[in-house]
Amino acid sequence: MRLGLALGYWGRGPDPGQLALVREAERLGYDSVWTAEAWGSDAFTPLTWIAAHTSRIRLGTAVAQMASRSPTTTAMHALTLDHLSGGRVLLGLGLSGPQVVEGWYGRPFPKSPLTATREYVDVVRQVIARQGPVALDGRFHPLPYGGDDGTGLGKPLKSITHPLRTRVPVLLGAEGPRNIAQTARIADGWLPLYWSPTRTDVYEAALGAGLRPGFMVAPLVRATLCVDVAEGLLPVKAMLGFYIGGMGHSARNFHADLMGRMGYEEEARHIQELFLAGRREEAVLAVPDAFADDISLVGPRERIAERLDAWRKGPVTDLLVLARDPGTLRVLAELNA
């Protein structure tokens, strides 16, 4: 099981200690570093900065939002960064949700998200493979565009820039069973948002009998080396309270739905109710310690070591660690050696 460092997206501004943390992760042997985006900082610019200050660590997006760019634009980002970094790009993509897609990007959330995702990946791969002009008779991403409001002058084009690699690994952030099943068929890897090594049965049916050799399963896990487990779980619960309570609508929240499938449906709805009523602190405290603990690595070294074994026994190939201190990164590297 490889280790990756997950940086997430910026809050009010960039973390001045982030580059030093990445360099330490590279020194410790971490295989990859991952950035994200919500409705603030983008995912690709920080990776370009990191690429210029590192030499080996792979550079992943977890995730780049599909609604924010056309598939050809995303492929251009990946192709360019892959050249500049010497072939280190891992392209993680995700649909996001209706609230972000329509509220921030001003685009309709696709009524057939599986089709939209499949077309997006198809176009990205065509651009990077550069085997011919890019063309797709698609519902969501037709190339050339042939709508009634167009000029009709578009023609299939092939990238001017030759790729460093004709195939960049594409991973998908997927939460629903059908989306996960499609990810296992069409992508090079999967980025689970919540993963519990004791509840892998939640995903077994969607993943199928077996995954292809080389297929990446790369969940994010918040890790904290500490003495007081309850205190160490508070940041996990704060994250869960925000995602389950605020990253979606009461009638459509993919994160709350996933928590429900993991055995906490009643608790997820209660968290939503509190958060949407403006009672955010109560929403965070309502997150069950058991759920927060299931999807994280928190506590003294001995406890983390014991729990890390459970993560290694399943299908996880890459553990993407959310941690802000070098000490936690160092302990995980030692335990995973």
Side-chain angles (χ1 to χ4, degrees), residues 133-306:
V134 180
L136 181 72
D137 183 18
R139 174 179 173 185
F140 297 96
H141 303 290
L143 286 171
Y145 181 73
D148 293 338
D149 56 344
T151 64
L153 300 177
K155 65 177 183 179
L157 299 172
K158 184 165 65 172
S159 172
I160 296 170
T161 304
H162 291 236
L164 180 66
R165 296 182 292 169
T166 56
R167 189 176 177 98
V168 168
V170 173
L171 298 88
L172 295 175
E175 295 181 47
R178 293 175 61 210
N179 201 353
I180 295 170
Q182 174 171 272
T183 296
R185 292 194 305 271
I186 72 170
D188 301 299
W190 173 40
L191 295 160
L193 182 60
Y194 308 141
W195 178 275
S196 167
T198 65
R199 294 298 313 274
T200 56
D201 57 298
V202 174
Y203 303 111
E204 282 177 357
L207 289 174
L211 297 172
R212 301 188 309 278
F215 186 88
M216 295 175 65
V217 177
L220 287 93
V221 58
R222 186 174 290 274
T224 305
L225 183 67
C226 61
V227 175
D228 189 329
V229 174
E231 183 178 343
L233 287 174
L234 285 176
V236 185
K237 295 176 66 168
M239 176 270 294
L240 289 169
F242 175 66
Y243 272 76
I244 293 161
M247 290 284 273
H249 188 271
S250 59
R252 193 169 189 184
N253 183 311
F254 301 138
H255 310 301
D257 293 343
L258 175 56
M259 184 178 174
R261 288 195 296 275
M262 295 181 76
Y264 296 91
E265 184 174 1
E266 185 176 337
E267 292 87 342
R269 300 309 167 198
H270 183 51
I271 293 165
Q272 275 192 304
E273 290 170 2
L274 291 171
F275 194 96
L276 295 174
R279 297 157 63 183
R280 298 190 176 190
E281 290 186 10
E282 292 180 63
V284 169
L285 294 176
V287 176
D289 282 4
F291 180 59
D293 199 26
D294 271 352
I295 64 170
S296 61
L297 288 166
V298 173
R301 180 187 178 108
E302 296 75 17
R303 187 175 195 266
I304 290 178
E306 180 182 347

Side-chain angles (χ1 to χ4, degrees), residues 1-8 30-36 57-63 90 92 171-173 189-193 195 216-223 295-297 308 311 316-323 329 332 336:
M1 186 176 69
R2 296 177 293 254
L3 295 178
L5 171 62
L7 300 175
Y30 278 62
D31 177 75
S32 56
V33 57
W34 301 76
T35 57
I57 198 164
R58 292 198 288 174
L59 310 161
T61 55
V63 294
L90 297 162
L171 298 88
L172 295 175
W190 173 40
L191 295 160
L193 182 60
W195 178 275
M216 295 175 65
V217 177
L220 287 93
V221 58
R222 186 174 290 274
I295 64 170
S296 61
L297 288 166
L308 191 62
W311 292 78
V316 173
T317 61
D318 297 76
L319 195 65
L320 310 188
V321 180
L322 282 159
L329 295 183
L332 283 171
N336 196 55

Side-chain angles (χ1 to χ4, degrees), residues 48-87:
T48 306
W49 179 251
I50 290 167
H53 293 84
T54 55
S55 60
R56 177 197 56 78
I57 198 164
R58 292 198 288 174
L59 310 161
T61 55
V63 294
Q65 296 172 328
M66 287 185 256
S68 65
R69 306 167 187 88
S70 70
T72 48
T73 306
T74 294
M76 289 165 66
H77 277 298
L79 184 155
T80 304
L81 182 55
D82 207 47
H83 266 290
L84 294 175
S85 66

